[in-house]
Amino acid sequence: MEKTIKINIAGVVFEINEDAFELLRIYLQSINNRLKNTPGGAEMIEDIEARIAEIFQASPSWKTGVISKEEVEEMKETMGSPDEIAGDLEGEPVYERASRGKRLYRDPDHAIIGGVCSGLGAYLRIDPVWIRIIFVLFSIVYLSGLFVYIILWIALPGAFSPSRKKELYADPPGAGDYAHRVNREFKTVQQNVRRTINGESYGKVGNAFNEVFKAFGKFFIILFRVIIAIIGVAFIVSGFSLIFSFMIVGFFNGTVFAENVLDTEIFHLPDFLSFIVDPALTPWLLVLSSIVIILPLLGMIYWGIRMVFQFRARDLALNLSMFIIWVVSCTALSLLLFSEGISFANSGRVTENNQLAAADTLFLRLGVPIISVDYDSEVHLPFEDFALYLDKTNRSIYGLPEINVFSTDGNAHLDIVKYSNGRTKSDAREKADNLIYDFNITDNSIYLDEYFTIPEGNRWSGAYMRIRIYLPEGTVLFVEEDLEDIFDSYLGHGVYSYELGNKYWEVTEDGLKKTD
Amino acid sequence: MNVENTKAQMRKGILEYCILSVISGNSCYASDIINRLKEARVIVVEGTLYPLLTRQKNAGLLSYRWEESQQGPPRKYYELTDQGREYLADLDKSWDELVESIKLIRKK
C-alpha cells in the first residue's frame, strides 16, 4: 500500500499520496516565493490555499479518502502556474524589484567552460565567440585573460533562475538605456505637474514636488553610474597595461610572443636578482614579487569590470582570500629581502695608493673600454647615477668608476678607492678589496680601464669605485676624449666633464683650468 | 506581434473592471466570482484572481466579511465600498466610451 500523509489546508484536513504531496508542496512553495514579498502577499497566499482546499473538496475522492497526483495536477491547471498567478504583479511601479532591469550573470545554458563569455555575450548582445576570442588572446599574453576568467567565474552568479535569465537578456543596454530612462522620468514628472495644475485629483502639490526631486535623484544616480562605468573602463585598461609592462620589462626581457619588442636587454628581473641575492632564493623572490605586484592589478581589472557591469557578486570570500594571499606574500617578501638586506648593512672602503713619476705633462688615456666586454644586460639602478653590466656566462658584474683630479702639495699619486657593503665592516672591506680594477702607468701616461669588475661568483652589494688622481699644482694634463664619460661631471672653474676631451688642462688648487 | 499576446493583454485590461462588475450585483465569495468570470470567458486560470482582489481591497474599492460554510473553510464575501461604486461608475462610463470609439472606427 502506498504511503499517505495527513495535511491541513486552510483548516481542512486531507489525506494525500506521498508523491502527490511532494508535487503540492513544491507548487505552494513556489507560489509563496513569488508572492511573499509583495504587499498583501500573505493574504493572497491564504486566499489561494482556501480555494485549493475547496477544489479538493469538490473532487470525487473527497470523503472516499486519498488525494492523488492526478488531482493535484488538475488543481494546478485550474489555478494556474505561479508565474501566471504572480505575472500580473510584475511591471507595476510598486514592485521596483521586479523591474530592476539588466544584470550581468554567467549564462550556464550556453556555457563552454563556466558561462562567463556566454553571459557577457548575452548581456552585451554580441556573439559570445568574440568575447571568447578576446579572452583567449589575453590568455596567450601572460595568462592574464585566464586569471580574469577564473576570477569572474568565481564571482559572477549564474543565471539559473528564470528571473535572472530575464535580467540577463533584458533590453536595452548601454547609454541609450540611461537616456531613455531619464527621459521617461521627466515625462512622468511633467504629466504629474500638469495634472496637479489642472486640478485633477491626482494628488497634492507636494506630491508633484516629490516627483520632481525623485526624478532629479534618479537622474543623478544614473549619471553617477555612467561615471562609475567610465572609471571602471580606465581601471581595466590601466590594469592590463600595467601587467603587460611589468611582465615585458621585468620578466620576459622585452619579449612578447618570443619577439623582442623593446630591442634591447635593459632589465631582466630574474637574471638581475640572481646577481644581487642568493641564487637559490631567486625563484621565491620572483614568485612573491609577482604576486605582490600582479594581484592588486588583477584586483583592479576585476573591480573595473564590476564597475562597468555593476553586477551582483558573491565575492566577499574571493576578495578576502586574495587580500590575505597578498598580505602574506608581502610579509614573506619583506622578510626575505630583510634577511638579504643584512648583507648591505655595513659599508666599507679600501684605498689602493699608487705613486706616479713626476712629469710636467701627464696623458690620461683609455685602457679597455666597456664595449669590449661581452656583457648580457645593462641595468640602470633606480636613484643611482651609474649602471651595472651583467655577464651571465661568467657570472661577473661590471661597473663604471668615477675619475676626479685634485691638486696636492706632495708627490703625484693615484688612489683607487673601492667601496662595498657587507654584513659587517670587515666583510664589507673584504668585498671592496675583491673588486678588480686594471690600469697601466707608463712614463708620462696613465691607461685607465673604463670599468671595474666584481669577480665571478660574488654578488653585487653596493660596490662602486672612485679614481682620484693627485697632481702637484701647475702640472699639465691631457685627457683623451673616450675618458670623458667616466669623469666626475663637474671639475671646478666652470669646467664640465663633457668639454675635457683631447685638450690640455692645468691643475690648480681648486680644479682644472684650461691652458691656451 | 502575436495575436494571443494581444488578446491576453486586452483581457487583462478589463479583468479588474469585470471583477468589480460581478461584485456590484450582490456580495459574493471567490468561487462565485470565478464561476461568473469563467462563464464570460475572461479568465483562464483561477490563481490570477487573488492578487487582483487583494489589490482592489487594499485600494479601498472592496471590503469583505467572513461567513461560515457548512463544508470547508470559512469564506470571504466581497462587497463594493462607496469608493468602489464610484470607481465602477467611472469605469462603466469609460467602457461605454470605448465601445463607441471602436464602433466609430470600425464603421469608418
Side-chain angles (χ1 to χ4, degrees), chain A residues 73-143:
Chain A
E73 289 287 4
E74 222 170 277
M75 176 279 291
K76 276 173 68 176
E77 225 156 87
T78 321
M79 291 300 287
S81 71
D83 273 339
E84 283 173 303
I85 294 172
D88 208 45
L89 300 173
E90 271 162 346
E92 281 226 351
V94 194
Y95 309 103
E96 284 286 350
R97 277 200 55 181
S99 57
R100 276 311 297 262
K102 210 164 169 57
R103 272 188 190 284
L104 178 63
Y105 294 101
R106 285 184 294 114
D107 185 359
D109 296 348
H110 306 97
I112 289 182
I113 306 172
V116 172
C117 296
S118 48
L120 279 167
Y123 184 88
L124 298 171
R125 304 206 156 180
I126 52 176
D127 195 322
V129 165
W130 298 112
I131 315 265
R132 288 186 180 117
I133 289 174
I134 292 172
F135 268 98
V136 168
L137 276 183
F138 275 77
S139 298
I140 291 171
V141 188
Y142 314 131
L143 296 180

Side-chain angles (χ1 to χ4, degrees), chain A residues 10 12 40 43-44 47-48 50-51 54-55 57 77-80 84-85 88-89 92, chain B residues 12 29 31 34 38 45-48 50-52 54-55 57 64 72-73 75-76 78:
Chain A
V12 187
E43 193 177 352
M44 294 175 202
D47 290 349
I48 288 168
R51 178 64 185 156
E54 265 182 14
I55 292 174
Q57 281 180 323
E77 225 156 87
T78 321
M79 291 300 287
E84 283 173 303
I85 294 172
D88 208 45
L89 300 173
E92 281 226 351
Chain B
K12 212 186 210 173
Y29 85 112
S31 288
I34 285 164
K38 272 188 170 168
V45 289
E46 294 185 12
T48 46
Y50 296 95
L52 288 174
T54 305
R55 206 190 310 159
K57 189 211 76 185
Y64 63 79
R75 295 166 171 180
K76 273 180 184 173
Y78 290 94

